[in-house]
Amino acid sequence: MSQHYIPENLPEKIQHYINGEFVDSISGATFEVLDPVSNTAYTTAAAGQKEDIDAAVAAAREAFVNGPWPRMKARERARVLNRIADAVEAQEDRLAELETFDTGLPIKQARGQAQRAAENFRFFADLIVAQFDDAMKVPGSQLNYVNRKPIGVAGLITPWNTPFMLESWKLGPALATGNCVVLKPAEFTPLSASLWATIFKEAGLPDGVFNLVNGLGEEAGDALVKHPDVPLISFTGETTTGQTIFRNAAEHLKGLSMELGGKSPAVIFEDADLDAAIDSTLFGVFSLNGERCTAGSRILVHRSVYHEFCERYAARAKNIVVGDPHDPATEVGALVHPEHYAKVMSYVEIGKTEGRLLAGGGRPENLPEGQQNGSYVSPTVFADVAPTARIFQEEIFGPVVAITPFDSDEEALELANGVKYGLAAYLWTQDLTRAHNFAQNVEAGMVWLNSHNVRDLRTPFGGVKASGLGHEGGYRSIDFYTDQQAVHITLGAVHTPRFGATATEPAPAKTAQFGASK
């Protein structure tokens, strides 16, 4: 494709969605939305302010307190969630087209996002129908059971990488458990989020249960985090923003689930299947344009296979197809926004002083006509990177990888754990004992053995250290979005110390037990 592809029927403006209606900001404030191939504005979006968040939270609160959604039987809510999944799948082509246009994600990778988003809703539809809670008996004395109930209004703040799918990760469990929500999508990529409103409406979700406010993080996001009627915040994004949210949520002691930055190691031992490891580590850092929190952006390679790995890895990286995101042949598209492009390119220049450049190192040559201004970065590979280097320590969030040698398992573990992050880790070895011992000692919330990031929705997703707070996925998501109230029922006589009773005052008669003789 030589010309910049523009989807048909793009919105002239992107609005908020509050209490079942599309609305502008109360102040009329807007911001421009760019596409990353031309880096020109293609529409404006309503810029939410505190008063818009207040309106959305009020609608969600009303729907929670007086609406039917929290009081529906699990099967009834599950039917709505499955209709949502059907609608998402039916819009797969349109969704992929919009997501690619708005984010720069290659179209072949965008096509899978609808299926993953639909599966998130189906999974939680199944889970709430099968959900059961604990009951504990003390025979003849007490019965204790858990009454699980939705918490209220959940504030969902989502990132700009694969935005639609990551929104579904939060929307699915939050809605399944009976909460109402206010979604604040990333300002760089508001286009696909507006699809949710129509999908939810047509699926039968009551008005006010889902609300959407676009805007900047420091305005709309900040107001959502600080709102006293929003007891839960689920945030995916970078660590510095997460720290700000943590501070601002403290006043109201909000429940927090935060999946933050990463600098995940991929550790290649001497007995690794090198062909498979090269395939996987290339995909693991260069898919999604390198804009993925779980990217294996530090590759640690045993010295005995280091030279061969670096040589083969760099040769493959040079062959990666960079270009028009709408071209099915493209493997790496345009980065999401000029601000982010400038950040990634600054790290590329830093890397040239910290490592040996094996591939990439700048903008690709021979970009298609009309795309010379796009936010394109060639897949960039640095070798011989010291563990003190900034490109080893800091999250770049782009198609840039650092390769470092090691000589022993102990050194590999020290290198793997030697950063502030702890989201994911990838291990390549055929030694079962080593695999388990290393996996259990690496400081990462998730570990994959002989694989890249392949998700199982039943497992916890989250990080340690600077990579996050709490976990979502499976029953962990159900736990986050619900209160577990313990209810205690007395079945027999309760022996209570009789404070204040006189020595001559008779004790109360014991209650007769069912089935006891008189």
Side-chain angles (χ1 to χ4, degrees), residues 219-234:
E219 295 173 354
D222 185 64
L224 184 59
V225 167
K226 292 176 178 174
H227 201 292
D229 288 336
V230 180
L232 289 178
I233 296 291
S234 178

Side-chain angles (χ1 to χ4, degrees), residues 366-377:
N366 305 317
L367 285 168
E369 181 184 345
Q371 299 188 31
Q372 288 86 355
N373 294 325
S375 297
Y376 291 104
V377 176

